[in-house]
Amino acid sequence: MDIGVQENQLSELKLKCNHIRQQIIKMVHHAQSGHIGGSLGATELVVSLYYHLMKHRPDDPLWPQRDRFVLSKGHCTPVLYAVLADLGYFPQEDLWTFRRPGSHLQGHPYQPKTPGVEATTGALGIGFSTALGMALVAKQRKEDHYYYVVCGDGEIQEGEIWEAAMFANKYKLDNVIAFVDRNYLQTDGNSEDIMPLDPLAPKWEAFGWSTFEIDGHDIGQIIETVTRARDCQGPVMIIANTVKGKGVSFMENAVGWHGGVPSQEDTDKALTELTNGA
Amino acid sequence: MTKYTFTEKQDTRSGFGAGLLELGRTNPKVVALCADLTGSLKMGDFKKEFPERFFQVGIAEANMMGLAAGMSINGLIPFTGTFANFSTGRVYDQIRQSIAYSEKNVKICASHAGVTLGEDGATHQILEDLGMMKMLPNMTVINPCDFNQTKAATIAIADHEGPVYLRFGRPKVPIFTPEDQKFEIGRAIRFTEGRDVSIFATGHLLWHAIEAEAKLADRGISAEVINIHTIKPLDRQAVLQSIAKTKCAVTAEEHQLNGGLGDSIAQLLAQNTPAPMEMVAVNDQFGESGKPAELMEKYGLSTNDIFEAVLKVLERK
């Protein structure tokens, strides 16, 4: 299948991921607050969507024909803001106001104020419903664009997710392509200890969704799978296996980096690793 | 002076249903969502005439609120329909984040509020909803008094950009406001002019306030009955002007004393012109099963309770 991505494009996207990861570290260090682990883990998903898969116009954030992205795991604003700033939705220097009074870059996405943010999210589960509400309107109007949603795996413990899952099936929302960012880690530890989620794909299939399971850090696989997902009837859930904290050795798979704040030393070390890995 | 009478009783929820149907015909942006209570909310006529604009979401209120937020982002005006209990407490987080904070043009339409829900009992009789909703920044809170006012309010909120909580009820109650009224959000309505006491009433209690006024008049007491159909934003000017004249107030509502209309008026008076005040409301209790009229008596929400509250506040003047 021609997925329309060349080797040189893949290399560029990988470099972009590296840059975004550095921005994430810098933002959270500068703010001394924020969610690093889940942001690093979702970087390939968000970068693949914004720099390759989605049609959108940073200089015209409300362009009606754009594809929409909803970060339902709203705490991972660092990756979203870093990408939106890099694309020019708002000035890069705004990143250094993240989580500060007066900034449009709130701890969690705030749709009325931030260009490029499609839905206010943060309290888990709600963003998923909001995205489906948007998608329902677009489907009824026969508009030709997609709704991409990223949920955390811990997030899908929320009952609202399953209410929404039933709804998307009932209304055959074939313009929805969602991801579970499956890193097995949530605030209190491993998801399978806290509230087991496996087996995940059969759960979504039982709710009427098409599913794919991929390596959430393999950009080629992300692009290929989303391209195939567009041909599915009804809503699609892509279970993206990821590593929380990906790209910085001492942050990978470490529960403490869900909401941990890096010291100057941590920051220097992380940026050195990323620079060397680029 | 105008004497209010009625010839017909109708439930306020039917006023909502009638208003929604009219909106269907006049405003193509209006859509309706319902969580398995279409008949109870009187949304059936809208559903029948506009099936493609009616969305049955099942018994899943949290999702309904999130969907409504999303539909408003894409330019529609969603009206959600379920009982007041499930329109507020059950989905407070969804409303707070994705509708109120996010300034979404969603109309939360809530039926069967208060003890007049009746026999189903306290599990379903919410008496805290006005308080929860009025605490949310950006939220407009409306509690109309009869069929005609509820219909007019339903139509009016579609033209108001922003989140609205519209509360109405189950039992048939007197229709005493004009059929052709224009509903003005945030504009209190003076029903009787008086000089001795101001009675601020909302929802089902307005009719009882009017009855109490007649009883008081027989005793030579002149009561000014004011309908506060919009709890938020409160018509501060109307309240303060009336109090400047009467120097005392009674509030009446089918709601907890904590957090209701009485609270809002007490706050306003305390900050501007402190005056003796009595509150007719439910006093920190849950309801129970019973006929609506029985429960209104038992929980201190009757005409006589308003009458007694006026006598009491007059002694404190």
Side-chain angles (χ1 to χ4, degrees), chain B:
Chain B
M1 182 171 288
T2 313
K3 284 295 167 197
Y4 289 89
T5 55
F6 69 96
T7 52
E8 196 192 340
K9 285 186 169 186
Q10 186 61 281
D11 42 12
T12 50
R13 57 186 163 141
S14 287
F16 163 67
L20 186 64
L21 180 64
E22 190 167 320
L23 282 175
R25 292 168 179 165
T26 56
N27 190 335
K29 287 183 177 175
V30 169
V31 293
L33 300 92
C34 187
D36 198 31
L37 287 169
T38 312
S40 299
L41 270 283
K42 305 293 180 187
M43 298 168 88
D45 290 340
F46 181 93
K47 178 187 174 185
K48 197 172 156 196
E49 198 165 320
F50 308 102
E52 75 292 350
R53 288 159 63 189
F54 176 85
F55 303 95
Q56 174 58 263
V57 305
I59 308 168
E61 296 83 5
N63 184 47
M64 176 165 74
M65 294 303 169
L67 288 169
M71 294 168 85
S72 79
I73 289 171
N74 272 1
L76 298 182
I77 308 174
F79 281 59
T80 67
T82 182
F83 288 171
N85 196 20
F86 312 132
S87 294
T88 55
R90 192 177 187 95
V91 291
Y92 200 61
D93 194 18
Q94 283 75 13
I95 293 173
R96 181 181 172 279
Q97 171 185 287
S98 296
I99 297 174
Y101 171 55
S102 199
E103 301 171 31
K104 289 293 156 277
N105 196 20
V106 173
K107 315 303 170 187
I108 301 159
C109 303
S111 186
H112 292 56
V115 293
T116 52
L117 170 135
E119 294 84 344
D120 280 351
T123 53
H124 289 52
Q125 290 164 345
I126 197 155
L127 292 162
E128 302 82 29
D129 55 323
L130 296 177
M132 280 192 275
M133 289 298 121
K134 81 175 189 185
M135 277 200 293
L136 292 173
N138 299 333
M139 185 64 75
T140 293
V141 181
I142 297 173
N143 183 27
C145 63
D146 71 352
F147 175 96
N148 287 338
Q149 194 176 73
T150 308
K151 182 180 175 187
T154 303
I155 293 164
I157 61 176
D159 288 332
H160 170 84
E161 178 77 29
V164 175
Y165 179 68
L166 179 67
R167 177 206 222 219
F168 40 90
R170 176 185 177 225
K172 288 187 162 59
V173 293
I175 301 177
F176 57 95
T177 68
E179 197 178 339
D180 58 351
Q181 67 190 282
K182 186 172 172 350
F183 186 88
E184 285 186 69
I185 295 171
R187 175 73 65 89
I189 302 168
R190 189 170 63 191
F191 271 73
T192 65
E193 208 175 327
R195 57 179 185 278
D196 298 327
V197 60
S198 304
I199 305 176
F200 301 105
T202 192
H204 290 151
L205 267 291
L206 185 61
W207 178 251
H208 295 286
I210 287 167
E211 287 184 331
E213 186 272 337
K215 278 181 72 176
L216 290 162
D218 291 344
R219 289 269 211 105
I221 297 165
S222 164
E224 181 145 291
V225 175
I226 294 180
N227 174 209
I228 308 286
H229 51 65
T230 305
I231 310 295
K232 185 186 168 191
L234 185 65
D235 189 342
R236 298 161 53 95
Q237 201 186 358
V239 173
L240 293 174
Q241 273 177 1
S242 183
I243 290 296
K245 185 170 55 173
T246 65
K247 316 283 192 217
C248 69
V250 167
T251 57
E253 60 193 309
E254 189 184 351
H255 190 272
Q256 296 288 359
L257 191 148
N258 289 322
L261 169 65
D263 257 19
S264 293
I265 294 200
Q267 190 185 105
L268 177 67
L269 296 186
Q271 288 176 328
N272 292 275
T273 168
M277 191 177 159
E278 291 292 328
M279 302 181 192
V280 173
V282 176
N283 190 11
D284 206 22
Q285 284 175 288
F286 289 106
E288 63 184 296
S289 292
K291 298 274 180 228
E294 290 175 331
L295 296 172
M296 293 290 272
E297 288 281 337
K298 178 163 181 178
Y299 287 88
L301 306 174
S302 68
T303 299
N304 197 50
D305 289 302
I306 299 173
F307 178 80
E308 295 290 338
V310 168
L311 298 185
K312 201 169 162 190
V313 83
L314 288 174
E315 281 176 20
R316 295 171 52 205
K317 246 172 110 169

